[in-house]
Amino acid sequence: VLTTVALDHQDWLGETREEIGAEKAGIFRAGAPAVCGETDLPLTVINHAQALSAKLMRRGEVYDFIKHADASVAGAQVWDWQGSCRGEPVSLQNLPLPSLPLVNAATALQALHQLNIDIPESAIREGLLKANLPGRYQRLEHPVPMLLDVAHNPAAAEHLVTYVESLDVEGDIHAIVGIYEDKDIDGVLAPLVRLVKTWHLTDLDEGRAETAQNLACRLAEHHAGKTSTYAKISEAAKTLESLVSENDLILILGSFPVVAGGLEYFDKSLDRV
């Protein structure tokens, strides 16, 4: 399974999507299904699959999904999935929305249907409801809703924006951000500018990290909202905690240390309530 081919980890995988795709396609096996969630596949991925006679299954061709309103519950949303099961068309309707990116859930369903086992639809629905990964689209209610996501490349940031926009937040959106300097920082920040009202930028206790002050300078170039800088994640979290209202949303995003630090702080804060 290959979910996406985005520009990330270039030091290890290559500078272009073609180079990165060639590295990621190394998981393909001769004659076996190769399920790909990326619709715009680099040619290197396609060529490698053909060279191995792997059964390439691309989203948008072999399988796909659509999200829509739930006819039975006002304001709720569900999704439909269409794909193939060992060569035969198959579909599932009105599935519950997972807490992980929907494109990944759809890709997982296509992979699941290539296994030589029969899985009840009830089990699939239960799995979608229970599947979670700490730090990816992770929700906390404390008492202001917050969303934690390790979005540290432009593709992940775009997915996060789409997800946040689907939440219909009544109040303001505030962000705690810390990120490594070797990431495409402008590409991560730019999609979020239209959503975030206040930015709480933190240093990370790692040599790879971009400074909070430099993050503030980058946001100024994007004409972002109010920015504040902090030496520690806990300081940013404590300050923001005192500013938000119950209708607001707190985003904690960027590289893994800031999400882990935010999760640690607010977990302890929950214990204090």
Side-chain angles (χ1 to χ4, degrees), residues 144-188:
V144 176
M146 60 186 67
L147 181 66
L148 301 94
D149 192 68
V150 287
H152 55 248
N153 64 49
E158 291 284 2
H159 281 298
L160 178 60
V161 167
T162 300
Y163 180 75
V164 172
E165 288 177 333
S166 73
L167 299 178
D168 295 324
V169 179
E170 294 182 8
D172 296 322
I173 297 175
H174 311 269
I176 298 176
V177 181
I179 194 166
Y180 290 149
E181 65 180 354
D182 57 353
K183 302 301 179 182
D184 181 358
I185 297 175
D186 291 318
V188 172

Side-chain angles (χ1 to χ4, degrees), residues 2-261:
L2 194 163
T3 52
T4 60
V5 182
L7 292 175
D8 200 4
H9 305 292
Q10 286 100 316
D11 289 348
W12 296 92
L13 299 178
E15 293 295 327
T16 67
R17 291 181 72 248
E18 294 289 338
E19 292 176 339
I20 293 171
E23 292 291 335
K24 289 192 170 188
I27 65 171
F28 295 168
R29 293 295 179 263
V35 182
C36 298
E38 177 71 72
T39 55
D40 181 24
L41 274 179
L43 189 60
T44 50
V45 175
I46 298 171
N47 289 343
H48 191 65
Q50 291 175 343
L52 291 174
S53 296
K55 302 171 185 176
L56 189 61
M57 299 179 177
R58 301 171 62 175
R59 181 169 70 88
E61 293 185 358
V62 176
Y63 73 99
D64 215 335
F65 68 93
I66 185 171
K67 183 167 67 172
H68 60 87
D70 186 344
S72 62
V73 181
Q77 290 189 313
V78 291
W79 62 295
D80 299 340
W81 175 85
Q82 306 85 35
S84 68
C85 179
R86 299 188 286 276
E88 297 296 326
V90 63
S91 64
L92 297 167
Q93 280 77 44
N94 299 319
L95 294 170
L97 291 177
S99 62
L100 297 175
L102 196 50
V103 61
N104 289 1
T107 300
L109 285 184
Q110 179 60 27
L112 187 69
H113 281 82
Q114 307 317 303
L115 304 178
N116 194 28
I117 55 176
D118 293 319
I119 299 175
E121 184 176 329
S122 59
I124 291 175
R125 292 178 178 276
E126 182 179 1
L128 288 168
L129 288 171
K130 291 184 176 180
N132 69 88
L133 181 62
R136 289 307 317 268
Y137 288 32
Q138 183 176 0
R139 294 290 300 271
L140 291 178
E141 306 294 336
H142 165 68
V144 176
M146 60 186 67
L147 181 66
L148 301 94
D149 192 68
V150 287
H152 55 248
N153 64 49
E158 291 284 2
H159 281 298
L160 178 60
V161 167
T162 300
Y163 180 75
V164 172
E165 288 177 333
S166 73
L167 299 178
D168 295 324
V169 179
E170 294 182 8
D172 296 322
I173 297 175
H174 311 269
I176 298 176
V177 181
I179 194 166
Y180 290 149
E181 65 180 354
D182 57 353
K183 302 301 179 182
D184 181 358
I185 297 175
D186 291 318
V188 172
L189 297 177
L192 291 152
V193 168
R194 70 176 185 267
L195 297 182
V196 176
K197 183 176 182 180
T198 69
W199 298 82
H200 301 264
L201 312 168
T202 178
D203 293 329
L204 301 176
D205 191 20
E206 295 195 21
R208 292 175 59 195
E210 179 64 283
T211 66
Q213 189 59 52
N214 284 345
L215 288 175
C217 292
R218 289 173 180 268
L219 282 167
E221 294 176 0
H222 291 285
H223 306 289
K226 181 182 177 182
T227 61
S228 302
T229 59
Y230 307 85
K232 296 181 180 180
I233 300 165
S234 58
E235 294 175 359
K238 184 177 181 179
T239 300
L240 183 53
E241 193 177 26
S242 65
L243 296 176
V244 295
S245 65
E246 62 182 11
N247 291 325
D248 292 346
L249 175 68
I250 297 174
L251 289 179
I252 304 177
L253 68 111
S255 296
F256 283 84
V258 71
V259 173

